[in-house]
Amino acid sequence: LSVFACMGPIGVLLGMAVKGFAAPIVDAVMLAIVAGTFVYVGATEVIPEEWEDQEHKWKKFFSLITGIVSMFVITQYSMKLEGAASL
């Protein structure tokens, strides 16, 4: 358990060290791996477990869709801000 607890801070320190001297592509690849892992765990562990219990299934469905749409809107907004900053 203590090894597992130390992995978070070690990962943060490693990420900060790599970002300091590595090319931007390394940062992008690391971010893609982390995001993919997060999506994988959510899609294979969390969502199916929530759908096992059929109670409030429509609330769960609309909450899931609301989260997906919210992430899309935030992404579009941030892309718009980045585009405006480069002008």
Side-chain angles (χ1 to χ4, degrees), residues 19-58:
K19 185 175 175 115
F21 67 86
I25 188 70
V26 175
D27 189 38
V29 169
M30 288 177 62
L31 184 60
I33 291 170
V34 170
T37 303
F38 184 75
V39 170
Y40 174 78
V41 169
T44 61
E45 297 289 332
V46 177
I47 293 173
E49 186 176 321
E50 279 298 317
W51 287 96
E52 285 178 2
D53 181 21
Q54 293 297 314
E55 186 177 358
H56 306 295
K57 69 178 183 178
W58 288 109

Side-chain angles (χ1 to χ4, degrees), residues 2-79:
S2 60
V3 173
F4 178 75
C6 291
M7 287 299 120
I10 290 172
V12 168
L13 292 174
L14 181 63
M16 289 171 55
V18 169
K19 185 175 175 115
F21 67 86
I25 188 70
V26 175
D27 189 38
V29 169
M30 288 177 62
L31 184 60
I33 291 170
V34 170
T37 303
F38 184 75
V39 170
Y40 174 78
V41 169
T44 61
E45 297 289 332
V46 177
I47 293 173
E49 186 176 321
E50 279 298 317
W51 287 96
E52 285 178 2
D53 181 21
Q54 293 297 314
E55 186 177 358
H56 306 295
K57 69 178 183 178
W58 288 109
K59 287 181 183 179
K60 293 177 184 179
F61 174 74
F62 286 119
S63 296
L64 177 65
I65 297 301
T66 301
I68 292 170
V69 170
S70 298
M71 293 307 298
F72 176 75
V73 168
I74 290 169
T75 302
Q76 295 302 311
Y77 180 70
S78 66
M79 289 173 62

